Amino acid sequence: MSPATPAADPNTGGGEFGLIRRHFQRPATTQPTAVALGIGDDCALLRPAPGYQLAVSSDMLVAGRHFFADVAPQTLGHKALAVNLSDLAAMGARPLGFTLALALPELDDPWLAAFAQGLFALADAHACPLVGGDTTRGPLNICITVLGEVLPGQALRRDAAQAGDDLYLSGQVGEARLALECLRGTPWATEHCGPEALARLRERLERPTPRLALGQALAGVARAAIDVSDGLASDLGHILQASRLGAELAPDEWALAPELRALPEPQRLECLLNGGDDYELLFTAPMAARSAVAGAAAASGTPVQRIGRLTPEPGLRLREPSGRLRPWTASGWDHFA
Ligand code: ADP
Ligand code: MG
């Protein structure tokens, strides 16, 4: 779109076009990709493999809401793409490319260089090229759209779970939330985390790992999946609602970080069930698929734990060590709640 004020002269090396050229336009790679035409024209042209469906998802990160405005730009570049790739992973899709819409308060070359470094390190690790975008002046805001491909019938949809399915989780949850509480100075969190623990937990908050290899290995194996961005209980709630089911979880049996294990139960459950920003995959599969799930975990080098099962009765219940079932109401992130 044409700006309200004239753009700076692109030939000076400054301005919008110089910025794109310096930081986001890269030499064509020799690796085969799905990109027929990349940055520089009115549209990019992509070529999904014949017979595949296109998977598309956007995530916007707003300063002050999704991240601290003074966060290291390299970290922000990583996270902005990671949260989007996580959505492709949760669909079982393979990434083809992404676009980047950026609002920047000012042209800050060192900031942009570091942002681009974090962004491209992750993009290159997953062979997911930047194919276009938009750049404007405004309060810091980053919107990425990822494009991927998946075979028809193999996408891991939220409405595909069935009663009796096992419920699985990649990695562990709760660490990102504990890190956030430590950074906010919440006493129950800081009491349980020394500087070394915080450094490790903070990595989990700021540099999440999108579980792409696992997601693709689960396509055609698992039934339903979602990535844990807003909190396990509320994200699981989306599967339960779409599939019209309930679930039983036994959090006392889950693998979890020692700092979480040490918390009093209410805070531990708060981190495990309501904490967001984990970007782990939560998925269901029939009991008959247990060895296939283990195979997908091994093939993708991703730890996976079984954390519960789906029930025909609606609602979410926690199974206590005594066997007693306790109802649980989710209260994850909702920007308009
Ligand atoms: P248009 O006027 O057609 O919207 P622009 O002048 O905004 O095009 O952008 C020029 C080219 O640069 C386009 O190919 C666009 O996709 C690309 N582009 C703009 N901003 C970015 C960005 N932040 N990252 C990657 N590519 C970008
Ligand atoms: Mg534009």
PDB file of all heavy atoms in Angstrom, residues 1 16-17 19-20 24 38-43 99-102 130-135, ligand 1:
ATOM      1  N   MET A   1       0.845  -1.196   0.000  1.00  0.00           N
ATOM      2  CA  MET A   1       0.000   0.000   0.000  1.00  0.00           C
ATOM      3  C   MET A   1       0.871   1.233   0.000  1.00  0.00           C
ATOM      4  O   MET A   1       1.927   1.259   0.591  1.00  0.00           O
ATOM      5  CB  MET A   1      -0.885  -0.004   1.241  1.00  0.00           C
ATOM      6  CG  MET A   1      -2.246  -0.584   0.979  1.00  0.00           C
ATOM      7  SD  MET A   1      -3.542   0.083   2.007  1.00  0.00           S
ATOM      8  CE  MET A   1      -2.794   0.378   3.582  1.00  0.00           C
ATOM      9  N   GLU A  16      12.767   2.112   2.775  1.00  0.00           N
ATOM     10  CA  GLU A  16      12.131   0.804   2.839  1.00  0.00           C
ATOM     11  C   GLU A  16      12.824  -0.226   1.945  1.00  0.00           C
ATOM     12  O   GLU A  16      13.083  -1.354   2.366  1.00  0.00           O
ATOM     13  CB  GLU A  16      10.678   1.028   2.403  1.00  0.00           C
ATOM     14  CG  GLU A  16       9.792  -0.163   2.380  1.00  0.00           C
ATOM     15  CD  GLU A  16       8.399   0.223   1.849  1.00  0.00           C
ATOM     16  OE1 GLU A  16       8.003   1.406   1.964  1.00  0.00           O
ATOM     17  OE2 GLU A  16       7.727  -0.663   1.296  1.00  0.00           O
ATOM     18  N   PHE A  17      13.150   0.163   0.702  1.00  0.00           N
ATOM     19  CA  PHE A  17      13.667  -0.830  -0.239  1.00  0.00           C
ATOM     20  C   PHE A  17      15.109  -1.203   0.078  1.00  0.00           C
ATOM     21  O   PHE A  17      15.510  -2.361  -0.064  1.00  0.00           O
ATOM     22  CB  PHE A  17      13.497  -0.339  -1.672  1.00  0.00           C
ATOM     23  CG  PHE A  17      12.053  -0.058  -1.990  1.00  0.00           C
ATOM     24  CD1 PHE A  17      11.557   1.238  -1.968  1.00  0.00           C
ATOM     25  CD2 PHE A  17      11.170  -1.100  -2.242  1.00  0.00           C
ATOM     26  CE1 PHE A  17      10.216   1.494  -2.209  1.00  0.00           C
ATOM     27  CE2 PHE A  17       9.828  -0.853  -2.481  1.00  0.00           C
ATOM     28  CZ  PHE A  17       9.347   0.455  -2.462  1.00  0.00           C
ATOM     29  N   LEU A  19      16.337  -1.195   3.054  1.00  0.00           N
ATOM     30  CA  LEU A  19      16.207  -2.036   4.248  1.00  0.00           C
ATOM     31  C   LEU A  19      15.903  -3.481   3.851  1.00  0.00           C
ATOM     32  O   LEU A  19      16.526  -4.428   4.353  1.00  0.00           O
ATOM     33  CB  LEU A  19      15.078  -1.450   5.105  1.00  0.00           C
ATOM     34  CG  LEU A  19      14.601  -2.078   6.394  1.00  0.00           C
ATOM     35  CD1 LEU A  19      13.777  -1.049   7.147  1.00  0.00           C
ATOM     36  CD2 LEU A  19      13.796  -3.339   6.208  1.00  0.00           C
ATOM     37  N   ILE A  20      14.950  -3.654   2.947  1.00  0.00           N
ATOM     38  CA  ILE A  20      14.589  -5.018   2.521  1.00  0.00           C
ATOM     39  C   ILE A  20      15.797  -5.681   1.857  1.00  0.00           C
ATOM     40  O   ILE A  20      16.129  -6.828   2.144  1.00  0.00           O
ATOM     41  CB  ILE A  20      13.384  -4.983   1.553  1.00  0.00           C
ATOM     42  CG1 ILE A  20      12.151  -4.423   2.277  1.00  0.00           C
ATOM     43  CG2 ILE A  20      13.086  -6.364   0.983  1.00  0.00           C
ATOM     44  CD1 ILE A  20      11.027  -4.007   1.349  1.00  0.00           C
ATOM     45  N   PHE A  24      16.748  -8.599   4.197  1.00  0.00           N
ATOM     46  CA  PHE A  24      15.826  -9.718   3.966  1.00  0.00           C
ATOM     47  C   PHE A  24      15.943 -10.391   2.603  1.00  0.00           C
ATOM     48  O   PHE A  24      15.454 -11.484   2.416  1.00  0.00           O
ATOM     49  CB  PHE A  24      14.385  -9.259   4.228  1.00  0.00           C
ATOM     50  CG  PHE A  24      14.186  -8.807   5.644  1.00  0.00           C
ATOM     51  CD1 PHE A  24      13.853  -7.497   5.942  1.00  0.00           C
ATOM     52  CD2 PHE A  24      14.399  -9.683   6.697  1.00  0.00           C
ATOM     53  CE1 PHE A  24      13.705  -7.076   7.256  1.00  0.00           C
ATOM     54  CE2 PHE A  24      14.261  -9.278   8.021  1.00  0.00           C
ATOM     55  CZ  PHE A  24      13.913  -7.972   8.300  1.00  0.00           C
ATOM     56  N   GLY A  38      10.848 -15.487  -5.699  1.00  0.00           N
ATOM     57  CA  GLY A  38      10.899 -15.009  -4.315  1.00  0.00           C
ATOM     58  C   GLY A  38      10.662 -13.518  -4.201  1.00  0.00           C
ATOM     59  O   GLY A  38       9.883 -12.933  -4.961  1.00  0.00           O
ATOM     60  N   ILE A  39      11.365 -12.882  -3.252  1.00  0.00           N
ATOM     61  CA  ILE A  39      11.192 -11.452  -2.960  1.00  0.00           C
ATOM     62  C   ILE A  39      11.479 -10.597  -4.196  1.00  0.00           C
ATOM     63  O   ILE A  39      12.413 -10.867  -4.933  1.00  0.00           O
ATOM     64  CB  ILE A  39      12.159 -11.048  -1.829  1.00  0.00           C
ATOM     65  CG1 ILE A  39      11.743 -11.729  -0.534  1.00  0.00           C
ATOM     66  CG2 ILE A  39      12.214  -9.531  -1.654  1.00  0.00           C
ATOM     67  CD1 ILE A  39      12.692 -11.488   0.623  1.00  0.00           C
ATOM     68  N   GLY A  40      10.681  -9.543  -4.418  1.00  0.00           N
ATOM     69  CA  GLY A  40      11.009  -8.552  -5.442  1.00  0.00           C
ATOM     70  C   GLY A  40       9.892  -8.280  -6.426  1.00  0.00           C
ATOM     71  O   GLY A  40       9.917  -7.269  -7.123  1.00  0.00           O
ATOM     72  N   ASP A  41       8.912  -9.145  -6.517  1.00  0.00           N
ATOM     73  CA  ASP A  41       7.797  -8.880  -7.440  1.00  0.00           C
ATOM     74  C   ASP A  41       6.530  -8.628  -6.616  1.00  0.00           C
ATOM     75  O   ASP A  41       6.582  -8.536  -5.398  1.00  0.00           O
ATOM     76  CB  ASP A  41       7.622 -10.060  -8.410  1.00  0.00           C
ATOM     77  CG  ASP A  41       7.147  -9.589  -9.788  1.00  0.00           C
ATOM     78  OD1 ASP A  41       6.189  -8.789  -9.830  1.00  0.00           O
ATOM     79  OD2 ASP A  41       7.737 -10.021 -10.797  1.00  0.00           O
ATOM     80  N   ASP A  42       5.401  -8.507  -7.283  1.00  0.00           N
ATOM     81  CA  ASP A  42       4.153  -8.219  -6.575  1.00  0.00           C
ATOM     82  C   ASP A  42       3.713  -9.394  -5.725  1.00  0.00           C
ATOM     83  O   ASP A  42       3.067  -9.227  -4.685  1.00  0.00           O
ATOM     84  CB  ASP A  42       3.052  -7.845  -7.571  1.00  0.00           C
ATOM     85  CG  ASP A  42       3.432  -6.584  -8.338  1.00  0.00           C
ATOM     86  OD1 ASP A  42       3.855  -5.617  -7.673  1.00  0.00           O
ATOM     87  OD2 ASP A  42       3.352  -6.573  -9.569  1.00  0.00           O
ATOM     88  N   CYS A  43       3.992 -10.584  -6.187  1.00  0.00           N
ATOM     89  CA  CYS A  43       3.698 -11.807  -5.417  1.00  0.00           C
ATOM     90  C   CYS A  43       4.894 -12.747  -5.544  1.00  0.00           C
ATOM     91  O   CYS A  43       5.625 -12.691  -6.526  1.00  0.00           O
ATOM     92  CB  CYS A  43       2.499 -12.556  -6.009  1.00  0.00           C
ATOM     93  SG  CYS A  43       0.918 -11.778  -5.742  1.00  0.00           S
ATOM     94  N   THR A  99       6.219 -15.467   4.732  1.00  0.00           N
ATOM     95  CA  THR A  99       6.275 -14.027   4.485  1.00  0.00           C
ATOM     96  C   THR A  99       6.406 -13.305   5.822  1.00  0.00           C
ATOM     97  O   THR A  99       6.033 -13.836   6.875  1.00  0.00           O
ATOM     98  CB  THR A  99       5.020 -13.519   3.755  1.00  0.00           C
ATOM     99  OG1 THR A  99       3.888 -13.720   4.599  1.00  0.00           O
ATOM    100  CG2 THR A  99       4.807 -14.227   2.424  1.00  0.00           C
ATOM    101  N   LEU A 100       6.913 -12.081   5.765  1.00  0.00           N
ATOM    102  CA  LEU A 100       7.210 -11.299   6.971  1.00  0.00           C
ATOM    103  C   LEU A 100       6.655  -9.887   6.806  1.00  0.00           C
ATOM    104  O   LEU A 100       7.129  -9.141   5.954  1.00  0.00           O
ATOM    105  CB  LEU A 100       8.733 -11.236   7.144  1.00  0.00           C
ATOM    106  CG  LEU A 100       9.270 -10.265   8.192  1.00  0.00           C
ATOM    107  CD1 LEU A 100       8.866 -10.696   9.596  1.00  0.00           C
ATOM    108  CD2 LEU A 100      10.806 -10.189   8.090  1.00  0.00           C
ATOM    109  N   ALA A 101       5.652  -9.535   7.583  1.00  0.00           N
ATOM    110  CA  ALA A 101       5.139  -8.163   7.593  1.00  0.00           C
ATOM    111  C   ALA A 101       5.646  -7.494   8.858  1.00  0.00           C
ATOM    112  O   ALA A 101       5.429  -7.987   9.960  1.00  0.00           O
ATOM    113  CB  ALA A 101       3.619  -8.165   7.552  1.00  0.00           C
ATOM    114  N   LEU A 102       6.355  -6.382   8.680  1.00  0.00           N
ATOM    115  CA  LEU A 102       7.067  -5.731   9.780  1.00  0.00           C
ATOM    116  C   LEU A 102       6.614  -4.292   9.923  1.00  0.00           C
ATOM    117  O   LEU A 102       6.612  -3.544   8.946  1.00  0.00           O
ATOM    118  CB  LEU A 102       8.548  -5.664   9.418  1.00  0.00           C
ATOM    119  CG  LEU A 102       9.547  -6.685   9.922  1.00  0.00           C
ATOM    120  CD1 LEU A 102      10.939  -6.264   9.475  1.00  0.00           C
ATOM    121  CD2 LEU A 102       9.483  -6.828  11.423  1.00  0.00           C
ATOM    122  N   LEU A 130      12.326 -17.210   3.171  1.00  0.00           N
ATOM    123  CA  LEU A 130      11.492 -16.000   3.208  1.00  0.00           C
ATOM    124  C   LEU A 130      11.181 -15.624   1.764  1.00  0.00           C
ATOM    125  O   LEU A 130      12.086 -15.443   0.955  1.00  0.00           O
ATOM    126  CB  LEU A 130      12.266 -14.872   3.896  1.00  0.00           C
ATOM    127  CG  LEU A 130      11.594 -13.501   3.951  1.00  0.00           C
ATOM    128  CD1 LEU A 130      10.271 -13.565   4.709  1.00  0.00           C
ATOM    129  CD2 LEU A 130      12.523 -12.471   4.602  1.00  0.00           C
ATOM    130  N   VAL A 131       9.893 -15.515   1.424  1.00  0.00           N
ATOM    131  CA  VAL A 131       9.527 -15.297   0.020  1.00  0.00           C
ATOM    132  C   VAL A 131       8.874 -13.942  -0.233  1.00  0.00           C
ATOM    133  O   VAL A 131       8.586 -13.598  -1.374  1.00  0.00           O
ATOM    134  CB  VAL A 131       8.582 -16.410  -0.501  1.00  0.00           C
ATOM    135  CG1 VAL A 131       9.258 -17.765  -0.416  1.00  0.00           C
ATOM    136  CG2 VAL A 131       7.254 -16.418   0.247  1.00  0.00           C
ATOM    137  N   GLY A 132       8.643 -13.147   0.811  1.00  0.00           N
ATOM    138  CA  GLY A 132       8.037 -11.834   0.593  1.00  0.00           C
ATOM    139  C   GLY A 132       7.572 -11.250   1.895  1.00  0.00           C
ATOM    140  O   GLY A 132       7.834 -11.808   2.963  1.00  0.00           O
ATOM    141  N   GLY A 133       6.886 -10.104   1.798  1.00  0.00           N
ATOM    142  CA  GLY A 133       6.402  -9.480   3.014  1.00  0.00           C
ATOM    143  C   GLY A 133       5.982  -8.059   2.787  1.00  0.00           C
ATOM    144  O   GLY A 133       5.676  -7.666   1.660  1.00  0.00           O
ATOM    145  N   ASP A 134       5.971  -7.275   3.846  1.00  0.00           N
ATOM    146  CA  ASP A 134       5.629  -5.866   3.761  1.00  0.00           C
ATOM    147  C   ASP A 134       6.364  -5.166   4.895  1.00  0.00           C
ATOM    148  O   ASP A 134       6.600  -5.756   5.946  1.00  0.00           O
ATOM    149  CB  ASP A 134       4.108  -5.686   3.880  1.00  0.00           C
ATOM    150  CG  ASP A 134       3.670  -4.324   3.350  1.00  0.00           C
ATOM    151  OD1 ASP A 134       4.389  -3.752   2.498  1.00  0.00           O
ATOM    152  OD2 ASP A 134       2.627  -3.832   3.802  1.00  0.00           O
ATOM    153  N   THR A 135       6.743  -3.908   4.653  1.00  0.00           N
ATOM    154  CA  THR A 135       7.511  -3.169   5.650  1.00  0.00           C
ATOM    155  C   THR A 135       6.928  -1.773   5.776  1.00  0.00           C
ATOM    156  O   THR A 135       6.712  -1.104   4.765  1.00  0.00           O
ATOM    157  CB  THR A 135       8.995  -3.071   5.218  1.00  0.00           C
ATOM    158  OG1 THR A 135       9.462  -4.377   4.899  1.00  0.00           O
ATOM    159  CG2 THR A 135       9.845  -2.505   6.319  1.00  0.00           C
TER     160      THR A 135
HETATM  161  P1  ADP B   1       4.040  -3.910  -2.901  1.00  0.00           P
HETATM  162  O1  ADP B   1       4.077  -2.426  -3.101  1.00  0.00           O
HETATM  163  O2  ADP B   1       3.667  -4.704  -4.110  1.00  0.00           O
HETATM  164  O3  ADP B   1       3.329  -4.309  -1.653  1.00  0.00           O
HETATM  165  P2  ADP B   1       6.530  -3.697  -1.613  1.00  0.00           P
HETATM  166  O4  ADP B   1       7.143  -2.493  -2.223  1.00  0.00           O
HETATM  167  O5  ADP B   1       5.861  -3.565  -0.303  1.00  0.00           O
HETATM  168  O6  ADP B   1       5.568  -4.345  -2.673  1.00  0.00           O
HETATM  169  O7  ADP B   1       7.636  -4.814  -1.477  1.00  0.00           O
HETATM  170  C1  ADP B   1       8.562  -5.069  -2.495  1.00  0.00           C
HETATM  171  C2  ADP B   1       9.021  -6.498  -2.446  1.00  0.00           C
HETATM  172  O8  ADP B   1       9.701  -6.713  -1.235  1.00  0.00           O
HETATM  173  C3  ADP B   1       7.863  -7.503  -2.491  1.00  0.00           C
HETATM  174  O9  ADP B   1       8.294  -8.631  -3.218  1.00  0.00           O
HETATM  175  C4  ADP B   1       7.659  -7.846  -1.049  1.00  0.00           C
HETATM  176  O10 ADP B   1       7.149  -9.176  -0.910  1.00  0.00           O
HETATM  177  C5  ADP B   1       9.076  -7.745  -0.482  1.00  0.00           C
HETATM  178  N1  ADP B   1       9.103  -7.351   0.947  1.00  0.00           N
HETATM  179  C6  ADP B   1       8.653  -6.208   1.512  1.00  0.00           C
HETATM  180  N2  ADP B   1       8.868  -6.198   2.831  1.00  0.00           N
HETATM  181  C7  ADP B   1       9.477  -7.367   3.130  1.00  0.00           C
HETATM  182  C8  ADP B   1       9.941  -7.970   4.324  1.00  0.00           C
HETATM  183  N3  ADP B   1       9.833  -7.387   5.533  1.00  0.00           N
HETATM  184  N4  ADP B   1      10.500  -9.200   4.229  1.00  0.00           N
HETATM  185  C9  ADP B   1      10.595  -9.827   3.052  1.00  0.00           C
HETATM  186  N5  ADP B   1      10.195  -9.319   1.883  1.00  0.00           N
HETATM  187  C10 ADP B   1       9.619  -8.103   1.921  1.00  0.00           C
END
